[in-house]
Amino acid sequence: MDDRKSPFDVIGQLGALRRYARSLVRNPHDAEDLVQDALMRAYERRPTFRQGANLRTWLMSVLHNTHIDSLRRKRSQARRVEEAALLSEGLHHGDAEDVVRLAQLREAFFSLPEEQRAALHLVAIDDMSYQDAARVLDIPVGTLMSRLSRARARLRAFEEGRAPPHLKIVGGTDNDRG
């Protein structure tokens, strides 16, 4: 075994990396996260490090670029959230009864057994063909169709006020269930 120091020995650079990260993000916890992310990126890209080059300079560059990428990602996410908020302002949000009914329907959907919920989600929400959904779930198409049928029947029962016993219908009167 060779006792010589590896040209990619980052341990000696941790102090400098932490100091620089802290000056960039101004928070010790975020700085540690930034150093960790930068070291992961540096490790993944170590074949691009040229032998004989200054390791500290290269690591500082990786850290800086990791920070810039993080800022861009945060700005992009904030912009998407802002655009979504602007789009939703023009939507009709419904009255309180609609909001409650939608919450009940969501609860009914999430109360479905996992295999039924997954099948219904892929076909009804993601608009996948039966064949594609069956491939995703790694089941035969017939099994997918059976799960869809059972899921739809449970949701239909919920909509007709015949909710499964574990689902509670809020609102209405006893006369509404007939």
Side-chain angles (χ1 to χ4, degrees), residues 74-85:
K74 288 176 186 173
R75 283 186 198 129
S76 176
Q77 182 179 10
R79 189 172 43 254
R80 284 192 304 273
V81 167
E82 191 174 303
E83 288 171 0

Side-chain angles (χ1 to χ4, degrees), residues 56-126:
R56 180 184 216 165
T57 302
W58 186 75
L59 288 172
M60 291 290 195
S61 175
V62 170
L63 182 106
H64 181 81
N65 290 336
T66 302
H67 175 64
I68 296 300
D69 289 348
S70 174
L71 290 176
R72 286 180 181 148
R73 194 170 34 257
K74 288 176 186 173
R75 283 186 198 129
S76 176
Q77 182 179 10
R79 189 172 43 254
R80 284 192 304 273
V81 167
E82 191 174 303
E83 288 171 0
L86 289 173
L87 286 174
S88 72
E89 285 178 3
L91 298 177
H92 173 69
H93 293 288
D95 57 15
E97 188 175 314
D98 292 338
V99 172
V100 169
R101 190 68 182 150
L102 183 58
Q104 291 172 335
L105 188 56
R106 186 179 312 116
E107 182 181 332
F109 175 78
F110 285 117
S111 74
L112 291 172
E114 183 178 343
E115 65 274 357
Q116 291 176 18
R117 189 173 59 247
L120 189 60
H121 178 95
L122 291 174
V123 172
I125 296 173
D126 284 338

Side-chain angles (χ1 to χ4, degrees), residues 160-163 167-178:
E160 293 169 358
R162 299 180 291 115
L167 293 178
K168 180 180 176 186
I169 305 253
V170 178
T173 63
D174 287 339
N175 297 338
D176 292 341
R177 296 184 194 139

Side-chain angles (χ1 to χ4, degrees), residues 127-147:
D127 201 28
M128 283 189 171
S129 70
Y130 286 0
Q131 291 76 17
D132 289 342
R135 268 188 232 110
V136 167
L137 297 172
D138 195 27
I139 59 175
V141 174
T143 303
L144 175 81
M145 292 172 69
S146 175
R147 290 178 183 178

